[in-house]
Amino acid sequence: SSGINAEYGGSAADISPDHDSITAGYFKVNHPALSGSTDFIASRLESLALAEEFNSHHPNITVFPYSYAYHFYEQYDTIVRETAMNLTICIFATFIVSLVMLGFQFIPALVVLVTVSMVTIDMLGVM
């Protein structure tokens, strides 16, 4: 016995009330032991690729991978893009506020923009 009943509670399929179709299902798959972040990220990406391939061959069925660790590493899909967008918006807002507060003088506002950008880049370098 592989212990699937204890982990998944019996049935691996949800059958419709009239017993003519399966409305939902799940199955357990195993992979080698993962030891670090690189392994977990690679495992998640490979699982997503396999699910996408399955979904492309079976358009009436939707498959998605899930593991207790995937939601921790899902943030790496968007973190770089979101960070760049947030920093761009903040630096632009700083420039606009500086421009207004300095009486619409472009050069001093640009100096503030460059200084804030350099501080931000230095902080990112330290992290």
Side-chain angles (χ1 to χ4, degrees), residues 18-89:
D18 53 358
H19 299 290
D20 66 346
S21 65
I22 297 175
T23 57
Y26 50 88
F27 58 91
K28 180 180 177 180
V29 296
N30 294 318
H31 54 75
L34 305 174
S35 61
S37 292
T38 306
D39 292 340
F40 281 104
I41 292 169
S43 171
R44 183 177 172 279
L45 292 175
E46 184 65 27
S47 297
L48 288 171
L50 288 171
E52 184 64 34
E53 182 179 345
F54 183 87
N55 288 337
S56 68
H57 293 305
H58 304 284
N60 296 333
I61 302 172
T62 302
V63 172
F64 63 91
Y66 176 79
S67 172
Y68 67 94
Y70 288 170
H71 65 277
F72 294 114
Y73 295 99
E74 188 172 6
Q75 65 186 331
Y76 295 123
D77 291 344
T78 60
I79 195 166
V80 173
R81 184 179 65 242
E82 288 180 5
T83 301
M85 179 62 73
N86 288 337
L87 289 175
T88 302
I89 291 170

Side-chain angles (χ1 to χ4, degrees), residues 88-100:
T88 302
I89 291 170
C90 289
I91 289 173
F92 180 71
T94 302
F95 175 73
I96 296 298
V97 169
S98 298
L99 188 65
V100 171

Side-chain angles (χ1 to χ4, degrees), residues 87 91 114-127:
L87 289 175
I91 289 173
V114 169
T115 305
V116 170
S117 298
M118 289 186 327
V119 169
T120 303
I121 290 170
D122 287 341
M123 285 187 354
L124 288 175
V126 170
M127 291 179 187

